[in-house]
Amino acid sequence: MTETHTQGPQGEISIRVMAMPADTNALGAIFGGWVLGQMDLAGGIHAASHAGARAVTVAVDAMKFHKPVHVGDEVTCYTRIERIGRTSIAIKIETWVRRARHGTPLLVTEGVFTYVAVDSTNRPVEILNKQI
Ligand SMILES: CC(C)(COP(=O)(O)OP(=O)(O)OC[C@H]1O[C@@H](n2cnc3c(N)ncnc32)[C@H](O)[C@@H]1OP(=O)(O)O)[C@@H](O)C(=O)NCCC(=O)NCCS
């Protein structure tokens, strides 16, 4: 399904990297797992910073791959908080690329990643900062 995204990126930049040849799949496009990994890192950075604690991934929902990522693309993950629970925080993550670092940004993936704030023994701890 092809979707048109008239709005630009939503959220703050949590990661910007270049897609490299080492991250390709057998077809020569960037491996989906690499993109997921970048999204997970981006959301984790945002969640941990907001919670003021370590944050571990507990769920990935509504994941969509709209377009392929190519070697040389500038890849940016935008993150914004959707919901804060007692110990969990759901973050909407959008990945946008600029082909060969030029041109109009394109939305390539999006998803909602949920993180849990944990203490040094990996037990859930309450997130005190409830402000979205
Ligand atoms: C995250 C973890 C510490 C939670 O421990 P737990 O004993 O299940 O904790 P709880 O049942 O109290 O749930 C904690 C929070 O996670 C939420 N949660 C649990 N499973 C969830 C799911 N599938 N989707 C969304 N939220 C979920 C709960 O609703 C709760 O949120 P709240 O406190 O805001 O209401 C534990 O599941 C864990 O260590 N998972 C592995 C994490 C990890 O290693 N991630 C990297 C994978 S490579």
Side-chain angles (χ1 to χ4, degrees), residues 5 96-99 101-107:
H5 299 277
W96 291 71
V97 300
R98 289 195 308 147
R99 301 292 188 207
R101 287 171 288 129
H102 299 294
T104 312
L106 299 170
L107 178 67

Side-chain angles (χ1 to χ4, degrees), residues 40 43-45 47-48 51 53-59 87-89 113-119 121-125:
D40 192 22
I45 288 167
R54 294 176 55 225
V56 295
T57 314
V58 75
T87 66
S88 68
I89 180 164
F113 287 54
T114 304
Y115 301 86
V116 176
V118 294
D119 63 16
T121 62
N122 291 327
R123 273 195 292 259
V125 290

